[in-house]
Amino acid sequence: MIPSETFHDITPISQDDGPHPVCSIDYPKEFDEAQGYLRAIMRKDERSERALELTALCLRFNPANYTTWWFRRQCLASLSISPSNFESKFTFFGLKFIAKDLMLAAKLGGTNPKNYQVWYHRRNLLEQSFSDIKSASGTDEVGNALELVNEEIEYIATVIAEDAKNYHAWSHRQWILKAINMESKWNAEIEFINGLLEDDVRNNSAWNQRWFVTHRGSKSIPFAIDDARQELSFSICKAEQDPYNESPWKYFVAVIKEQFRLIGTTPEFASLIGVSEKALEETKANFEQESKKDGMECTNLIAAHIDILEIKGDKTSIASAIEFAKLLESRYDPVRKKYWKLRAQQLEVVTK
Amino acid sequence: MLGFFDSPENLIRYSVDTHEIIEWIYTLQTLSHANEPGIAGFKGGTFLGNVQKDEFLYYNQGHLAMTYSALCTLITLGDDLERVDKKGIVKGLQCLQKDDGSFSSLHLGSENDLRFVYCACAISHILNDWSGVDIDRAVQYIQACRTWDGAISLIPGQESHGGSTFCGVASLNLMGRLKQVLDDHDNWRNELVQWCVSRQIEGMQGRTNKLEDTCYSFWIGGTLKILNCDHLLDQKLLRAFVTDCQSDMGGFSKLRDPGRSYYPDLLHSFYSLSWLSFSHTTIHEDDVINNGVHLGSNANGSLTLHPLNCTLGMSSRRIDMYRKGILNSSQIT
């Protein structure tokens, strides 16, 4: 793989695992050779085109070697021509290098979709450009950056299409949305999430993304009450599709809890939680009518009801909550019977 | 856990020399350097080749997860950590902590998240020196990782996950802030416990609506153990799942049907045994596929596992021995 002329002037450095190696790795000969040259090149700190090619070769063999990735970025930065007066906490990479390396990362990422180093490399390539959008420094930069943003969002979507719960893909996507903080992108993301929930209403990653997007990626921007109502409608609607599904019920309760912490003592909240409880009970009733099954089997629905009753906090509600918990314990949720027993006991303490 | 090192016959039969392993680990140590405070620690492997003692290579740096692994392994093998650059490692932690309280793993630069907060906390605990960690900021980061469904994500905003939940809870425990954070924080403890027990199908899933996987018996079982709530799981069902994931070629795989659909691997073997060790110290003969390897079996054919300290993810006995050793040596001086 390495034409011998390319590194004719370099003496490769062997790995030398010492006299008593532990867990020796049986490297393919080509890899060992390539690494030998890389060790020498890195010792020299030669950040050239041939060094760049060499890192690509080594990364094909082991895309998890973070030191090789680091050195590759050193080469890219040295070969890039940063604009005059360039000042940034991020490294500058030339546009053609960004494009080329995004392709390399995509190629390596294809068979390694959960490799931390590959995703980190993408982020490193992009963070300077994305900060251009925020600072809106010059139209050319922003134009290029926006194109990169769109392409990157598209790319992540292809990874999610392969594995709709790829944690790295979602982390990277969240980073972009927050970094650029564009209303149009936040809104488009809701559509994207809705599409995923159509495919699989049980996709908890998509539910999590919905919470993230509707909060604009921040914990300090809770829902206004109208938005809360909308989210409650949305989650109930999805819960109806499959009342056994945990995700929409947890989301439902989370919306209520957030409002409780904000406006829990107000009549608006009393109305909100009243309406929510009714909707939950209706879902249970509809389920029983359509399926001819016992709605208590939908343990996630019942768990949500218990949470709501606990928040309501009045004597009757707590009594109902205890009853439900005891039913889950004794009959309907045997895997968690010890938990429900404890929960009933905790609720009984509340009553006193 | 398996008591392998207790029996000299094992070391002979398998040609294991604990001193050689210890020496090899020490060759991976990177010492602190005057110009670069952040680099002390341990590397993961020898891919940089032999670096001479007086040779300074900027990129010859320790990695936080490897440092954590190295310290645990050295202690497990009975080393007293005398040759460890403790001050250097702790100084390095300072350099790796970000403004938001998280840690990255490498002075060269890496992603930063709760995994490395955990590594930093475990290292600080083992070295008994917290000057490298801004605890208040680390706690803030963990709080920022609290999710809408009551558990802990790897980075703020992300999905609740068994691995990160363990990292968060174990870190709080190590920092001595568990009670303060969970009990001052409006019902978070109860939400956490509920989330954890909700992850049980038969085995444990790592996230809502995802598949079971033996390693989550540790991540989530361990979290519940730290919270003194692991008895709330259906232990019998979980044990049946975990032991079912044993392969007849040895080890555990992440799911049932090992050898056909899934192969056993070290990670899942370690975490399966880990959970078994702190949830059950005795495994019965019918649970364990025994290939005739002498592992200190009891007379009735059962196998005793030495418990794991689940917060640190390492042998309870060994960490205790190490601590006693420190006390003994300080008494001598």
Side-chain angles (χ1 to χ4, degrees):
Chain A
M1 275 201 192
I2 310 170
S4 49
E5 314 88 60
T6 318
F7 295 100
H8 67 277
D9 57 319
I10 303 287
T11 310
I13 297 173
S14 78
Q15 188 160 293
D16 184 8
D17 282 331
H20 303 291
V22 174
C23 302
S24 266
I25 298 174
D26 187 17
Y27 301 106
K29 187 160 156 280
E30 293 163 278
F31 185 22
D32 204 23
E33 238 175 57
Q35 276 289 141
Y37 284 110
L38 184 60
R39 280 183 277 270
I41 288 282
M42 283 179 70
R43 287 284 206 293
K44 278 184 72 200
D45 199 13
E46 183 192 305
R47 307 181 200 180
S48 59
E49 284 280 359
R50 69 173 181 173
L52 195 65
E53 279 311 301
L54 185 57
T55 60
L57 177 61
C58 291
L59 288 168
R60 274 204 282 286
F61 282 109
N62 180 11
N65 191 318
Y66 43 77
T67 311
T68 309
W69 279 112
W70 169 80
F71 185 66
R72 184 174 177 84
R73 285 191 286 273
Q74 298 291 103
C75 294
L76 291 172
S78 289
L79 294 168
S80 298
I81 305 164
S82 57
S84 51
N85 306 322
F86 179 74
E87 258 180 54
S88 170
K89 61 177 173 169
F90 302 121
T91 312
F92 180 86
F93 299 111
L95 212 57
K96 70 164 188 184
F97 285 120
I98 294 176
K100 191 172 160 204
D101 259 50
L102 286 173
M103 260 168 47
L104 172 72
K107 203 159 170 209
L108 292 175
T111 39
N112 303 283
K114 298 182 186 181
N115 173 315
Y116 281 96
Q117 292 71 40
V118 174
W119 287 103
Y120 182 70
H121 190 64
R122 296 193 81 88
R123 181 163 163 159
N124 258 268
L125 291 169
L126 295 167
E127 57 194 0
Q128 169 51 39
S129 317
F130 289 2
S131 73
D132 284 338
I133 293 176
K134 262 201 173 126
S135 59
S137 53
T139 38
D140 276 347
E141 280 93 14
V142 174
N144 289 329
L146 282 173
E147 217 177 292
L148 283 171
V149 165
N150 291 332
E151 282 168 10
E152 194 66 359
I153 289 179
E154 261 312 298
Y155 170 71
I156 303 169
T158 64
V159 177
I160 289 174
E162 289 281 323
D163 174 2
K165 302 177 186 184
N166 182 325
Y167 208 87
H168 303 261
W170 284 112
S171 295
H172 192 65
R173 204 171 172 90
Q174 288 193 344
W175 168 69
I176 295 177
L177 289 169
K178 258 200 109 165
I180 61 176
N181 195 24
M182 290 169 64
E183 211 41 39
S184 59
K185 299 300 179 203
W186 287 119
N187 291 328
E189 190 68 359
I190 292 287
E191 293 312 311
F192 179 67
I193 292 163
N194 287 346
L196 288 171
L197 289 175
E198 297 278 309
D199 291 338
D200 177 9
V201 72
R202 284 170 212 85
N203 183 340
N204 198 60
S205 304
W207 282 101
N208 183 72
Q209 189 73 343
R210 190 176 176 98
W211 185 273
F212 178 79
V213 169
T214 51
H215 287 82
R216 294 297 182 267
S218 169
K219 285 203 164 170
S220 52
I221 315 173
F223 290 136
I225 194 159
D226 283 335
D227 295 325
R229 286 193 188 105
Q230 196 181 326
E231 293 303 297
L232 289 171
S233 285
F234 180 85
S235 40
I236 271 275
C237 177
K238 293 299 180 187
E240 269 162 10
Q241 286 175 19
D242 172 16
Y244 291 96
N245 184 3
E246 185 175 342
S247 299
W249 290 119
K250 283 307 250 260
Y251 194 89
F252 187 72
V253 167
V255 175
I256 293 169
K257 280 185 176 171
E258 190 181 59
Q259 294 304 303
F260 177 63
R261 283 169 194 144
L262 283 168
I263 55 167
T265 51
T266 64
E268 284 83 16
F269 179 76
S271 155
L272 183 88
I273 200 170
V275 167
S276 303
E277 193 183 4
K278 276 208 177 68
L280 182 150
E281 286 169 325
E282 245 177 64
T283 305
K284 183 180 175 191
N286 291 339
F287 166 80
E288 287 179 331
Q289 198 177 45
E290 283 167 29
S291 69
K292 308 287 179 240
K293 283 183 178 174
D294 183 351
M296 287 298 299
E297 276 182 31
C298 301
T299 56
N300 292 309
L301 184 160
I302 305 301
H305 201 173
I306 293 172
D307 284 339
I308 288 172
L309 290 164
E310 191 172 3
I311 291 170
K312 284 175 75 181
D314 58 279
K315 236 174 152 179
T316 320
S317 295
I318 298 293
S320 296
I322 293 170
E323 206 188 301
F324 281 133
K326 286 186 166 166
L327 281 168
L328 290 177
E329 175 209 341
S330 59
R331 198 168 145 192
Y332 293 100
D333 196 5
V335 171
R336 274 160 281 281
K337 66 172 180 258
K338 291 183 182 143
Y339 169 75
W340 289 117
K341 180 173 183 179
L342 177 70
R343 187 78 186 270
Q345 284 168 354
Q346 287 170 342
L347 288 164
E348 268 155 2
V349 169
V350 168
T351 328
K352 291 196 178 94
Chain B
M1 288 185 281
L2 295 173
F4 178 87
F5 293 110
D6 296 334
S7 159
E9 302 100 69
N10 285 332
L11 300 179
I12 294 167
R13 184 195 285 188
Y14 293 98
S15 310
V16 172
D17 185 330
T18 54
H19 291 106
E20 277 180 16
I21 303 174
I22 289 171
E23 289 312 304
W24 184 79
I25 294 173
Y26 273 114
T27 65
L28 294 170
Q29 181 169 210
T30 56
L31 300 171
S32 43
H33 191 274
N35 300 338
E36 285 302 333
I39 64 173
F42 286 80
K43 293 177 286 193
T46 50
F47 53 84
L48 290 180
N50 216 350
V51 181
Q52 301 307 320
K53 273 204 156 71
D54 52 356
E55 200 183 350
F56 176 70
L57 292 176
Y58 175 70
Y59 49 88
N60 186 40
Q61 300 183 355
H63 182 290
L64 213 55
M66 310 304 161
T67 301
Y68 160 73
S69 304
L71 293 176
C72 290
T73 308
L74 286 169
I75 292 172
T76 303
L77 294 172
D79 186 66
D80 60 8
L81 304 190
E82 277 302 296
R83 288 185 275 167
V84 172
D85 181 6
K86 297 176 182 134
K87 282 204 156 61
I89 288 171
V90 170
K91 194 90 219 273
L93 293 181
Q94 249 176 23
C95 299
L96 293 173
Q97 189 167 22
K98 303 288 174 201
D99 290 340
D100 65 359
S102 68
F103 282 80
S104 69
S105 61
L106 193 63
H107 198 50
L108 286 178
S110 84
E111 67 282 5
N112 52 296
D113 56 53
L114 259 188
R115 292 172 296 155
F116 305 126
V117 173
Y118 172 71
C119 291
C121 289
I123 290 166
S124 300
H125 177 88
I126 289 169
L127 299 181
N128 197 25
D129 182 347
W130 286 88
S131 59
V133 176
D134 182 329
I135 291 178
D136 286 337
R137 272 195 292 141
V139 168
Q140 264 171 26
Y141 186 76
I142 296 170
Q143 289 171 321
C145 289
R146 179 183 181 182
T147 60
W148 49 272
D149 54 353
I152 303 175
S153 58
L154 199 61
I155 56 173
Q158 251 284 44
E159 193 183 355
S160 50
H161 187 288
S164 43
T165 297
F166 173 84
C167 287
V169 170
S171 298
L172 287 171
N173 197 26
L174 289 165
M175 293 188 282
R177 296 290 187 95
L178 192 63
K179 204 174 176 334
Q180 180 201 318
V181 169
L182 294 188
D183 299 332
D184 285 2
H185 226 78
D186 61 42
N187 211 28
W188 193 8
R189 181 186 292 264
N190 292 335
E191 287 183 4
L192 250 177
V193 170
Q194 184 172 18
W195 185 89
C196 288
V197 302
S198 301
R199 301 284 64 75
Q200 183 166 20
I201 308 173
E202 288 183 38
M204 306 300 293
Q205 63 188 182
R207 293 183 255 169
T208 305
N209 288 332
K210 285 209 81 180
L211 294 175
E212 301 153 295
D213 178 328
T214 47
C215 69
Y216 293 109
S217 61
F218 174 80
W219 299 120
I220 297 174
T223 300
L224 286 169
K225 179 114 184 130
I226 295 172
L227 299 173
N228 287 319
C229 286
D230 59 324
H231 58 282
L232 298 178
L233 289 173
D234 186 333
Q235 303 269 22
K236 198 164 172 215
L237 194 61
L238 183 53
R239 185 169 106 183
F241 175 82
V242 171
T243 50
D244 252 7
C245 292
Q246 283 184 99
S247 158
D248 45 23
M249 60 181 99
F252 294 76
S253 61
K254 70 177 189 176
L255 277 169
R256 283 191 173 108
D257 201 17
R260 264 138 289 170
S261 314
Y262 300 97
Y263 287 97
D265 61 59
L266 284 172
L267 184 142
H268 292 93
S269 301
F270 175 68
Y271 287 117
S272 298
L273 283 170
S274 295
W275 177 74
L276 287 169
S277 84
F278 62 75
S279 61
H280 305 78
T281 49
T282 307
I283 318 291
H284 292 283
E285 197 184 314
D286 46 340
D287 289 342
V288 173
I289 297 168
N290 189 330
N291 279 331
V293 177
H294 177 74
L295 282 174
S297 303
N298 301 327
N300 60 359
S302 65
L303 176 71
T304 301
L305 291 176
H306 298 287
L308 200 85
N309 173 322
C310 82
T311 302
L312 284 175
M314 64 165 296
S315 161
S316 277
R317 296 187 298 159
R318 297 295 178 175
I319 186 74
D320 285 345
M321 278 163 68
Y322 167 70
R323 285 180 185 136
K324 283 201 182 92
I326 296 286
L327 282 171
N328 286 341
S329 56
S330 66
Q331 278 163 10
I332 290 165
T333 49

